[in-house]
């Protein structure tokens, strides 16, 4: 699967941490699974181990004194140590008996006074025995006590060792997961700055934010919870199957039936869950989008009393999200604990049926310790299965989220280039340029004009005539469909985007300010812009006079979008920002349209100085501001209808004349 491969590639970047976590996990599982073997040894070899052959011996280690003689278990004799008379200790019901006769350990046993009745393979035998009192029995247990205590300490040591390595693997795996997500978020955020502007035309900001925050968080759960559980559970299952094979191969083979069940389980679950999670993630993205849109447009919503309509739109998305969350919840409920319960009960019923005809006494085919270990391992086998099943929901959410994040990362973007070129002279030429935002719907048609170094070129025309599109092409926010654009004779499509824009500056109609200070908004935190350059740029555009009332000066804080500043103040900061970078080509996109008359006068005074040696394009709304332009291009439906200086166009008495006279008439009317 493509998504799984990409998620694996990110994980591989931190393979050392993940491999270390897996090693610690393996040690933890091995220590944990050793526990039942230790418990089996305690039960079979020591608690029930006294039911075995004993021999008369001399006083010494592991010897027990009974009725004037010393006895020791056959298994405790050294290889060359001499063995005396053989005796046996046999369990009969709730009692242990002592006898010097060779009573078989197999078969059913009944005790009547001092006579032991043994039935084995259809034969019945009687043996004279002596019933051991509790005190006498405890004497035979004395050699076992230190051995049992050692094994108990070993058992708890294994538990502690398992816990330590379990903590280590959990910490290491989570650390690697956080680094993976950190890397993924950095990649996603870096990538959006490389994407063409047209990508954001059709994708609201809230949806992009959702992919970088919510979706990457869901992927984090994949590495922290899902993979941790899958690794741990898989190793546990493998370990348990191996342990069962060592104890009882037939049970181990039966346990392998879980594998096809899990595979089928996964296929069925994913068939339904994938569609549900796609819709859930999409609705979260839509909800983020509408919240972002509503916050930015809250003044309009409140001004036009659209609170109820906005609320209804939000509630519709929220209700749909809630509905599909319930569907996935029902699916998880049906396919997690309930099915695990069925599997667990089926396993134990099968186990009881398989061993139903066997006695649970020490003389049975299967020992009590073996029985304990098998039951323990069966329980341990189902726990990791439940761990895997319970992570299906998180797994599916992570895969869907991963698909959304990687669809963003897969969008073709412009490579960042460190290529340097000398500062432009500023000669700009459009040669038969045609462009459309949609295929075959051109907004610029066969456009040809030249702007020479140091000239001021004004672009005027009605809304939709193509003024801003020319600037979009010059900055390569979009590329033309036909024709070519040259700067100093170089085709701009052959210049990397970052290199092209290095010697260009732009001031938009609605300037955008970032959180920070006035100084940081002018320099954009560029190391090449000194404080002196910031102050000079601000002074050149007259901003020092307009912003002089601020106590902290250029260090005054600016909140998001500069909402505490006036339109004129924001525009002056934007002017200073463009000029601080000393562009060879300066673009003013209706930069004075939202500025009051006094501020406009300040900017006009500065513009005469700033235009020297710099090619300036002005998209003008107020025609009175471009009377001194070296060249005025009058656009009409994507073509140049008229071209010339102000006086020349006024003498033509064409479109420009009509527009100018209309504005002058409106201004006179307003003055009256």
């Amino acid at each position: 699967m493509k998504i799984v491969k990409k998620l694996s590639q990110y994980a591989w970047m931190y393979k050392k941490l993940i491999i270390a976590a897996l090693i610690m996990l393996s040690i933890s599982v091995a220590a944990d699974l050793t526990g039942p073997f230790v418990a089996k040894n305690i039960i079979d070899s020591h608690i029930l181990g006294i039911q075995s052959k004993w021999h008369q011996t001399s006083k010494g280690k592991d010897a027990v004194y009974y009725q004037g003689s010393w006895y020791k278990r056959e298994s405790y004799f050294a290889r060359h140590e001499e063995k005396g008379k053989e005796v046996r200790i046999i369990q009969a019901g709730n009692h242990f008996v002592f006898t010097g006769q060779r009573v078989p350990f197999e078969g059913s046993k009944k005790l009547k006074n001092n006579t032991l009745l043994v039935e084995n393979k259809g034969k019945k035998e009687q043996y004279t025995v002596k019933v051991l009192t509790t005190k006498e029995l405890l004497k035979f247990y004395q050699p076992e006590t230190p051995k049992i205590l050692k094994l108990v300490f070993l058992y708890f040591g294994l538990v502690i060792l398992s816990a330590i390595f379990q903590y280590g693997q959990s910490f290491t795996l989570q650390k690697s997961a956080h680094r993976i997500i950190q890397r993924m978020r950095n990649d996603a955020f870096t990538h959006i700055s490389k994407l063409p502007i047209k990508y954001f035309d059709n994708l609201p900001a809230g949806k992009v934010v959702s992919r970088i925050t919510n979706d990457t968080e869901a992927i984090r759960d994949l590495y922290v919870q899902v993979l941790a559980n899958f690794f741990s559970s898989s190793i546990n299952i493998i370990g348990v199957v191996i342990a069962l094979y060592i104890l009882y191969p037939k049970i181990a083979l039966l346990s392998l039936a879980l594998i096809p069940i899990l595979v089928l389980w996964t296929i069925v679950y994913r068939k339904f869950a994938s569609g549900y999670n796609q819709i859930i993630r999409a609705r979260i993205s839509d909800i983020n989008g509408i919240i972002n849109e509503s916050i930015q447009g809250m003044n309009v919503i409140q001004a036009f009393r659209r609170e109820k309509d906005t609320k209804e739109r939000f509630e519709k998305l929220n209700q749909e999200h809630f509905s599909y969350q319930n569907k996935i919840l029902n699916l998880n409920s049906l396919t997690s604990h309930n099915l695990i319960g069925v599997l667990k009960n089926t396993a134990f019923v099968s186990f009881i049926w398989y061993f139903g005809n066997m006695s649970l006494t020490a003389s049975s085919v299967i020992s009590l310790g073996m029985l304990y270990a098998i039951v323990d391992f069966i329980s341990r086998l189902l726990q990791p299965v439940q761990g895997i099943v319970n992570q299906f929901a998180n797994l599916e959410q992570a895969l869907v989220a991963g698909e959304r994040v990687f669809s963003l990362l897969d969008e073709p973007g412009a490579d960042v280039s460190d290529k340097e070129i000398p500062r432009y002279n500023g000669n700009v030429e459009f040669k038969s340029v045609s462009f459309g935002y949609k295929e075959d719907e051109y907004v610029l048609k066969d456009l040809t004009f030249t702007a020479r170094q140091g000239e001021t070129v004004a672009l005027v025309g009605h809304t939709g005539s193509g003024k801003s599109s020319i600037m979009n092409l010059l900055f390569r926010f979009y590329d033309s469909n036909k024709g070519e654009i040259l700067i100093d004779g170089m085709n701009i499509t052959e210049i990397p985007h970052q290199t092209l824009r290095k010697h260009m500056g732009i001031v938009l109609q609605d300037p955008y300010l970032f959180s920070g200070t006035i100084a940081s908004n002018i320099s954009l935190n560029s190391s090449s812009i000194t404080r002196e350059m910031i102050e000079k740029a601000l002074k050149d555009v007259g901003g020092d006079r307009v912003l002089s009332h601020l106590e902290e000066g250029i260090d005054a804080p600016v909140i998001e979008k500069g909402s505490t500043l006036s339109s004129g103040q924001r525009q002056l900061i934007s002017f200073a920002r463009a000029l601080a970078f000393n562009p060879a080509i300066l673009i003013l996109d209706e930069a004075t349209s939202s500025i009051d008359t006094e501020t406009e006068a300040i900017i006009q005074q500065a513009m005469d100085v700033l235009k020297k040696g710099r090619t300036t394009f002005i998209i003008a709304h107020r025609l009175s501001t471009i009377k001194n332009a070296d060249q005025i291009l009058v656009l009409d439906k994507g073509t140049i209808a008229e071209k010339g200086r102000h006086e020349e166009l006024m003498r033509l008495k064409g479109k420009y004349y009509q527009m100018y006279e209309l504005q002058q008439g409106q201004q006179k009317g307003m003055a009256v």
Side-chain angles (χ1 to χ4, degrees):
M1 186 185 293
K2 185 179 179 182
I3 301 302
V4 174
K5 181 180 179 181
K6 290 185 176 181
L7 290 171
S8 301
Q9 288 172 346
Y10 268 94
W12 190 247
M13 296 177 186
Y14 303 95
K15 56 183 179 293
K16 291 182 179 179
L17 281 174
I18 294 175
I19 291 172
L22 290 178
I23 292 172
M24 287 188 282
L25 177 61
S26 300
I27 295 172
S28 172
V29 171
D32 191 40
L33 293 180
T34 306
F37 285 98
V38 176
K40 174 186 176 297
N41 195 26
I42 291 173
I43 295 170
D44 286 347
S45 299
H46 300 289
I47 295 177
L48 300 179
I50 63 167
Q51 181 183 241
S52 60
K53 297 177 182 179
W54 292 70
H55 291 272
Q56 202 169 15
T57 187
S58 57
K59 182 179 179 180
K61 184 182 178 184
D62 297 329
V64 177
Y65 184 76
Y66 177 68
Q67 292 186 341
S69 300
W70 292 89
Y71 298 95
K72 186 161 66 173
R73 280 178 58 180
E74 186 177 72
S75 57
Y76 292 161
F77 276 87
R79 179 178 297 180
H80 301 295
E81 189 177 353
E82 187 178 346
K83 300 175 184 176
K85 178 186 175 183
E86 179 183 327
V87 297
R88 296 189 179 187
I89 295 176
I90 303 293
Q91 183 181 7
N94 295 325
H95 299 280
F96 282 85
V97 298
F98 181 92
T99 179
Q101 297 176 282
R102 297 197 174 191
V103 179
F105 294 105
E106 299 81 14
S108 62
K109 300 175 179 67
K110 290 183 181 180
L111 183 64
K112 289 186 178 181
N113 297 323
N114 289 328
T115 301
L116 182 65
L117 304 175
V118 179
E119 184 177 349
N120 185 27
K121 297 180 181 180
K123 295 181 180 181
K124 296 182 180 180
E125 300 286 343
Q126 292 185 2
Y127 301 91
T128 301
V129 298
K130 184 178 185 333
V131 179
L132 295 173
T133 64
T134 303
K135 187 176 181 180
E136 291 171 335
L137 181 62
L138 289 176
K139 284 185 179 181
F140 283 98
Y141 267 116
Q142 284 178 356
E144 312 301 327
T145 303
K147 295 177 175 61
I148 291 174
L149 287 175
K150 285 181 181 179
L151 290 174
V152 168
F153 285 127
L154 174 61
Y155 185 91
F156 282 107
L158 290 170
V159 170
I160 293 170
L161 182 67
S162 176
I164 291 172
F165 279 98
Q166 183 67 29
Y167 168 80
Q169 73 85 19
S170 177
F171 177 83
T172 307
L173 199 59
Q174 290 198 41
K175 183 179 180 180
S176 63
H178 290 311
R179 287 190 176 181
I180 290 168
I181 297 307
Q182 180 188 32
R183 177 67 174 268
M184 190 177 293
R185 280 181 175 155
N186 283 340
D187 288 350
F189 186 79
T190 302
H191 189 68
I192 62 174
S193 65
K194 301 177 184 178
L195 294 176
I197 297 299
K198 63 182 179 182
Y199 176 80
F200 301 99
D201 291 343
N202 301 315
L203 192 66
K207 292 189 176 184
V208 178
V209 171
S210 180
R211 295 192 182 188
I212 299 176
T213 55
N214 295 350
D215 289 336
T216 53
E217 190 65 18
I219 298 172
R220 186 187 69 84
D221 291 338
L222 169 70
Y223 293 107
V224 173
Q225 296 181 29
V226 179
L227 291 187
N229 271 279
F230 273 41
F231 286 149
S232 176
S233 298
S234 298
I235 292 175
N236 267 288
I237 289 172
I238 293 169
V240 168
V241 171
I242 293 172
L244 281 173
Y245 186 81
I246 294 170
L247 289 175
Y248 211 94
K250 289 183 179 179
I251 297 294
L253 292 174
L254 288 172
S255 66
L256 294 177
L258 284 173
I259 296 175
I261 292 174
L262 278 175
V263 172
L264 181 62
W265 201 331
T266 305
I267 293 171
V268 172
Y269 180 86
R270 290 210 63 207
K271 181 179 179 181
F272 294 97
S274 180
Y276 294 161
N277 279 304
Q278 287 279 7
I279 296 174
I280 288 171
R281 304 310 302 181
R283 290 302 161 267
I284 290 176
S285 181
D286 291 338
I287 287 171
N288 280 336
I290 195 173
I291 291 173
N292 181 69
E293 183 182 65
S294 299
I295 291 173
Q296 292 192 7
M298 189 57 68
N299 54 345
V300 177
I301 291 172
Q302 292 182 0
F304 287 90
R305 298 176 299 166
R306 305 311 299 162
E307 295 92 339
K308 184 178 179 181
D309 178 67
T310 305
K311 178 186 174 184
E312 288 175 352
R313 287 172 57 207
F314 180 85
E315 285 182 346
K316 182 180 179 182
L317 291 173
N318 202 23
Q319 178 60 37
E320 192 171 353
H321 176 263
F322 172 77
S323 174
Y324 278 91
Q325 282 281 30
N326 277 344
K327 289 182 179 181
I328 201 74
L329 180 63
N330 290 332
L331 180 63
N332 292 337
S333 298
L334 288 171
T335 58
S336 57
H337 297 286
N338 291 335
L339 286 178
I340 283 294
V342 171
L343 275 181
K344 183 179 290 187
N345 291 331
T346 303
F348 279 113
V349 166
S350 301
F351 179 79
I352 293 169
W353 174 81
Y354 186 80
F355 293 105
N357 296 322
M358 295 183 181
S359 171
L360 301 184
T361 64
S363 58
S364 62
V365 175
I366 182 171
S367 68
L368 188 59
M370 177 78 78
L371 185 65
Y372 166 82
I374 291 175
V375 171
D376 193 343
F377 280 129
I378 290 175
S379 297
R380 290 169 184 262
L381 181 63
L382 292 173
Q383 286 173 1
V385 172
Q386 183 168 348
I388 290 175
V389 171
N390 288 344
Q391 292 302 321
F392 279 170
N394 289 333
L395 172 63
E396 199 55 45
Q397 287 180 19
L399 291 177
V400 171
E403 186 177 348
R404 289 164 55 81
V405 173
F406 289 123
S407 69
L408 173 65
L409 290 171
D410 288 341
E411 285 291 331
D415 292 330
V416 177
S417 173
D418 295 330
K419 182 181 178 182
E420 295 285 342
I421 60 174
R423 188 174 183 271
Y424 307 135
N425 292 324
N427 295 301
V428 178
E429 184 178 3
F430 276 60
K431 299 174 72 174
S432 303
V433 172
S434 296
F435 167 72
Y437 295 98
K438 296 180 181 179
E439 192 174 353
D440 297 328
E441 293 183 19
Y442 292 121
V443 295
L444 296 177
K445 305 166 186 176
D446 197 27
L447 210 64
T448 299
F449 69 89
T450 300
R452 296 180 179 83
Q453 178 182 359
E455 281 189 346
T456 297
V457 178
L459 305 173
V460 300
H462 298 294
T463 300
S465 59
K467 303 185 297 295
S468 295
S469 297
I470 292 176
M471 299 302 99
N472 285 336
L473 293 180
L474 190 58
F475 261 89
R476 284 201 70 190
F477 292 143
Y478 301 86
D479 284 328
S480 62
N481 301 100
K482 298 178 182 179
E484 57 183 2
I485 302 172
L486 308 176
I487 295 180
D488 293 346
M490 297 180 292
N491 192 322
I492 64 171
T493 58
E494 298 174 0
I495 305 173
H497 292 78
Q498 290 77 18
T499 306
L500 172 71
R501 296 164 187 162
K502 183 173 182 179
H503 303 299
M504 300 172 72
I506 189 170
V507 179
L508 299 172
Q509 180 180 2
D510 185 17
Y512 193 93
L513 300 187
F514 299 91
S515 300
T517 64
I518 291 175
S520 68
N521 268 282
I522 293 174
S523 68
L524 294 179
N525 296 314
S526 172
S527 58
S528 62
I529 307 298
T530 64
R531 190 174 181 87
E532 291 74 20
M533 293 169 68
I534 294 171
E535 292 173 348
K536 184 178 184 303
L538 198 59
K539 183 178 180 181
D540 287 343
V541 299
D544 57 334
R545 285 177 281 169
V546 177
L547 299 169
S548 59
H549 69 284
L550 299 176
E551 293 182 5
E552 299 176 69
I554 63 173
D555 294 316
V558 177
I559 63 174
E560 184 182 359
K561 298 180 71 175
S563 57
T564 56
L565 301 173
S566 69
S567 297
Q569 290 172 329
R570 292 199 301 271
Q571 198 63 277
L572 285 169
I573 293 171
S574 182
F575 259 91
R577 173 195 294 165
L579 298 174
F581 284 86
N582 189 28
I585 299 173
L586 178 64
I587 298 170
L588 307 178
D589 188 353
E590 300 197 40
T592 60
S593 62
S594 59
I595 295 178
D596 57 86
T597 305
E598 182 181 355
T599 306
E600 181 183 347
I602 294 173
I603 292 176
Q604 287 297 324
Q605 291 173 9
M607 287 302 297
D608 292 336
V609 176
L610 299 172
K611 288 186 297 185
K612 291 182 180 179
R614 182 176 289 114
T615 304
T616 306
F617 290 87
I618 302 176
I619 298 176
H621 174 70
R622 299 179 184 178
L623 300 185
S624 59
T625 63
I626 59 167
K627 291 169 65 176
N628 297 326
D630 298 298
Q631 187 178 175
I632 299 173
L633 304 180
V634 183
L635 298 173
D636 181 40
K637 297 179 180 180
T639 61
I640 298 176
E642 297 173 6
K643 183 189 332 182
R645 297 180 64 87
H646 172 75
E647 296 79 6
E648 295 171 354
L649 296 176
M650 289 299 290
R651 286 195 295 269
L652 285 176
K653 293 189 177 182
K655 290 183 178 295
Y656 179 82
Y657 175 84
Q658 295 173 7
M659 293 167 62
Y660 187 82
E661 288 296 316
L662 180 62
Q663 281 193 12
Q664 290 299 311
Q666 289 175 346
Q667 290 177 7
K668 290 178 181 178
M670 292 173 65
V672 174

